[in-house]
Amino acid sequence: MAVNEGGVPPILAQKHYAQPSAFTPENLLREARRQKRIIDAGIPNICILDPDGDIVRSLLARGEARLEAGWACYHTQLYSFSRDGIEFGIVGCAVGASYAVLIAEELFASGCKLLISVTSSGQIVPTRPPPYFIIIERALRDEGTSYHYMAPSDYSDADAGLIAALDGAFGGFPVPVLTGATWTTDAPFRETQPAIDAMVKRNLMAVEMEAAALYAFAQVRQKPVLCFAHVTNQMGRVDGDFEKGEADGSHDALQLIAIAADRLRSRLP
């Protein structure tokens, strides 16, 4: 099997990190607005990525979410809703690193000022029985998207200021909220036991599919992004797994998001 670029795999070759992007979200959205006859309009300052879609489905079932007609993305729908006096935008089912970052690019190009991701994740280090949440401080880069934004390294790190701003925020929260590192993978059905054992040695608390890429994007684009892992399962290795809580975990996730947003909105540009 031939390997190009003197032994460097294609995902690491021809990455000119200091060069601007030729294809930009602003231009894509411009053409989408033209084709769809959408008036250029703003979106809520604080937006949410809901990879599982449970939060969006719960909001829609209760009649609490409104479709944002000004959202010009080709691939998704953006809904808005209010919680504790804060207006949010939310995109459901943006699962996986490449999809999540594509949507993040478009959200910030459309006026988003803070992005919060809450993704379902599998337990690696058996800290406690699921479900619980993790504020992701850093994520192991075992996916592809981050390498298009940032030179190779083991981890993508969260903005330290965002993490510090949440100190003590969840003291009275009914579900445990921990802080730590996760493993971001592109292939959840290729989590082998030797790989899991290696991640335990690294003290990675859970496995998910977006955080490493979102944090690389955030660092390079200088955008505020915060990722939570909702540890809901043990990768199906026990009976009765994947129980998230009330309304498929959306009740707790919305409460978590509202608390985080209240703490972080003072830091918005």
Side-chain angles (χ1 to χ4, degrees):
M1 182 181 296
V3 179
N4 72 345
E5 302 293 333
V8 177
I11 200 166
L12 300 180
Q14 297 299 323
K15 298 296 181 287
H16 305 283
Y17 295 109
Q19 293 294 313
S21 299
F23 182 36
T24 68
E26 291 82 1
N27 290 352
L28 175 71
L29 293 169
R30 180 196 67 212
E31 297 307 313
R33 292 188 189 100
R34 176 184 61 81
Q35 292 179 338
K36 298 180 178 185
R37 296 180 174 85
I38 294 174
I39 297 173
D40 191 358
I43 64 172
N45 285 342
I46 303 176
C47 291
I48 302 160
L49 290 180
D50 170 29
D52 279 19
D54 291 323
I55 302 173
V56 169
R57 286 187 288 270
S58 176
L59 290 167
L60 289 172
R62 297 196 304 271
E64 296 180 13
R66 308 170 298 280
L67 188 64
E68 285 286 325
W71 175 238
C73 175
Y74 284 109
H75 314 94
T76 62
Q77 292 179 313
L78 176 71
Y79 294 92
S80 61
F81 69 98
S82 297
R83 181 61 53 113
D84 294 347
I86 303 173
E87 186 79 4
F88 294 96
I90 186 167
V91 174
C93 300
V95 64
S98 60
Y99 196 15
V101 170
L102 182 148
I103 303 306
E105 287 270 22
E106 295 178 355
L107 285 169
F108 281 103
S110 299
C112 174
K113 303 297 183 184
L114 169 67
L115 180 61
I116 298 172
S117 174
V118 182
T119 187
S120 183
S121 60
Q123 186 180 69
I124 298 296
V125 175
T127 307
R128 56 178 302 115
Y132 55 92
F133 293 94
I134 300 169
I135 304 170
I136 302 177
E137 286 184 308
R138 62 177 187 165
L140 188 77
R141 298 172 63 185
D142 192 18
E143 40 65 57
T145 304
S146 68
Y147 295 95
H148 295 274
Y149 283 83
M150 196 167 65
S153 63
D154 282 0
Y155 293 94
S156 295
D157 294 306
D159 180 277
L162 297 181
I163 299 294
L166 296 182
D167 185 36
F170 301 104
F173 197 67
V175 179
V177 181
L178 313 178
T179 302
T182 60
W183 166 25
T184 305
T185 180
D186 272 341
F189 297 125
R190 285 300 298 146
E191 294 159 357
T192 64
Q193 191 58 53
I196 293 168
D197 293 343
M199 300 308 165
V200 171
K201 290 179 180 178
R202 286 178 177 261
N203 198 34
L204 302 185
M205 299 176 71
V207 58
E208 39 73 31
M209 295 183 65
E210 297 86 21
L214 285 168
Y215 282 163
F217 155 81
Q219 181 175 331
V220 170
R221 299 294 202 217
Q222 293 295 288
K223 303 296 185 183
V225 177
L226 185 67
C227 297
F228 290 90
H230 192 184
V231 182
T232 60
N233 66 86
Q234 298 174 56
M235 293 176 278
R237 294 183 292 178
V238 298
D239 290 338
D241 210 5
F242 295 94
E243 291 298 325
K244 299 180 178 182
E246 183 180 346
D248 292 323
S250 62
H251 178 272
D252 294 331
L254 281 167
Q255 190 175 351
L256 178 97
I257 289 164
I259 292 170
D262 185 59
R263 280 289 187 101
L264 298 177
R265 60 179 166 170
S266 64
R267 302 177 59 89
L268 299 185

